[in-house]
Amino acid sequence: MATEIRSFDLINKTQIPSLGLGTWQSEPGLVGQAVTAAVKAGYRHIDCAQIYGNEKEIGLALKKLFEDGVVAREDLWITSKLWCNNHAPEDVPIALEKTLNDLQIEHLDLYLIHWPVRTKKGTAGFKPENLLKTDIPATWKAMEALFDIGKTRGLGVSNFSSKKLGDLLKVARIPPVVNQVECHPSWHQTKLREFCKSNGVHLSGYSPLGSPGTKWLKSNVLEHPILTSVADKLGKTPAQVAIRWGLQMGHSVLPKSTNEARIKENFAVSDWLIPDDLFTELSKIEQARLVRGDFLVNDIYGEYKTVEVLWDGEI
């Protein structure tokens, strides 16, 4: 295996940089600094979403980076996502145009359906009465139209199970090139990974460190004794090992940080590898999904009555 894994080839003949900066839960006032620090440190992949509420600040940072000649637009990979309350076909182009305006760019490199969940237009949060039935084929068709006119170079999904992804592949004129999902040493996504691989869909891993700063998640991914033991043996941090594990598993990795030192540390994973024996040790970590999506299920409203149905048994 090559030590340096800079990018992965997608089926639409684009290359997604292997390591991206996650911006979920990056605080206002800090996310712009984080993007600037990341790009200057060598990151060429920024993962955004309209629902994160920080695309305007990211756009200001990108504009300055472009103006100062730090990086050119064509050298960056920028992903964003369609939120649940904009699934109606007529709302999709409006949502993307807002994202492009906020980010101050003319096109995305990748536009994802954020969740296979639909909520009422204009609503925020996930009150049960706001949950609606989805029509993923209709939403996808609207996204395909945006691809056709060059508003995005690629289309994909996020938080889709193997079944939901398979259902979309059957009807898509332009197939999804990426499925962005939770993935880390404590949640390998084994079944989904194999399905994606066999269908030419690249898996991209969010929360590769287990989202340690998320208050509503009880995450101790980076504290697992097997992971810390491997890190000690390699002279690396647990976070670096978790990121390198993802790269060697063959998926792009999206660590989030607003701390410049950690942003640089997380990027320092290209000139070493996890040897086979230690890689096997990491496979022994017990598996548990952190982002279960309990807030998306309801007995009366929407279409998912249980978490098991939401993930089609991949739980």
Side-chain angles (χ1 to χ4, degrees):
M1 172 182 287
T3 305
E4 190 169 26
I5 305 170
R6 298 189 67 88
S7 63
F8 295 100
D9 294 331
L10 303 184
I11 56 169
N12 65 351
K13 298 185 172 19
T14 60
Q15 290 185 317
I16 186 169
S18 59
L19 191 59
L21 180 74
T23 59
W24 178 43
Q25 295 186 317
S26 292
E27 301 86 349
L30 294 179
V31 68
Q33 296 172 32
V35 168
T36 299
V39 171
K40 289 182 176 179
Y43 288 71
R44 292 297 178 263
H45 179 173
I46 310 296
D47 183 70
C48 311
Q50 194 172 81
I51 193 62
Y52 299 166
N54 53 21
E55 288 190 328
K56 277 190 176 180
E57 187 176 337
I58 292 170
L60 290 171
L62 292 174
K63 183 172 185 285
K64 189 169 192 317
L65 286 165
F66 299 150
E67 288 176 347
D68 292 351
V70 176
V71 68
R73 168 66 186 96
E74 57 267 27
D75 296 327
L76 280 188
W77 179 282
I78 302 174
T79 296
S80 190
K81 310 176 190 76
L82 177 76
W83 189 238
C84 304
N85 59 4
N86 287 315
H87 274 217
E90 64 272 19
D91 294 332
V92 174
I94 298 169
L96 178 54
E97 202 58 38
K98 180 177 183 345
T99 278
L100 293 176
N101 288 338
D102 287 350
L103 292 173
Q104 301 192 49
I105 56 177
E106 294 184 355
H107 71 274
L108 292 174
D109 296 281
L110 184 63
Y111 198 38
L112 309 177
I113 296 179
H114 205 146
W115 282 91
V117 174
R118 184 178 177 186
T119 55
K120 292 178 182 176
K121 183 178 178 179
T123 61
F126 291 102
K127 291 182 179 178
E129 59 269 26
N130 292 336
L131 294 170
L132 301 172
K133 297 278 188 183
T134 59
D135 186 349
I136 297 298
T139 301
W140 190 257
K141 188 174 181 180
M143 292 176 68
E144 289 175 328
L146 296 172
F147 173 88
D148 290 339
I149 61 173
K151 293 291 185 178
T152 181
R153 296 172 65 217
L155 298 174
V157 296
S158 182
N159 299 301
F160 272 49
S161 65
S162 301
K163 181 184 183 305
K164 289 179 177 61
L165 182 56
D167 290 344
L168 176 57
L169 286 166
K170 291 173 187 174
V171 300
R173 173 173 60 87
I174 298 166
V177 294
V178 166
N179 187 9
Q180 187 187 121
V181 293
E182 175 190 344
C183 196
H184 45 73
S186 293
W187 190 243
H188 292 185
Q189 294 278 13
T190 304
K191 179 182 176 182
L192 180 63
R193 180 187 303 280
E194 287 305 314
F195 183 84
C196 286
K197 186 176 180 180
S198 64
N199 285 276
V201 179
H202 175 73
L203 192 148
S204 192
Y206 71 71
S207 298
L209 312 180
S211 294
T214 306
K215 294 176 182 177
W216 51 271
L217 287 178
K218 292 184 178 179
S219 171
N220 59 357
V221 171
L222 297 182
E223 299 166 10
H224 195 284
I226 292 178
L227 182 60
T228 57
S229 172
V230 169
D232 288 344
K233 289 173 182 174
L234 292 173
K236 304 296 179 182
T237 67
Q240 287 175 320
V241 172
I243 292 166
R244 182 68 205 190
W245 171 87
L247 298 180
Q248 289 183 215
M249 286 291 282
H251 64 261
S252 50
V253 183
L254 306 168
K256 170 257 171 181
S257 181
T258 54
N259 178 289
E260 185 172 353
R262 282 197 289 272
I263 287 170
K264 291 178 178 178
E265 184 181 88
N266 291 344
F267 196 71
V269 292
S270 63
D271 59 352
W272 57 278
L273 53 75
I274 305 168
D276 290 346
D277 59 330
L278 296 181
F279 204 81
T280 300
E281 282 298 302
L282 293 173
S283 69
K284 298 175 183 177
I285 295 175
E286 56 271 21
Q287 298 294 290
R289 182 189 290 278
L290 294 175
V291 183
R292 288 170 45 84
D294 298 90
F295 52 92
L296 301 172
V297 303
N298 187 268
D299 285 341
I300 301 170
Y301 299 98
E303 61 191 289
Y304 308 121
K305 295 188 183 303
T306 67
V307 170
E308 287 71 19
V309 173
L310 172 64
W311 299 109
D312 298 297
E314 294 174 5
I315 188 74

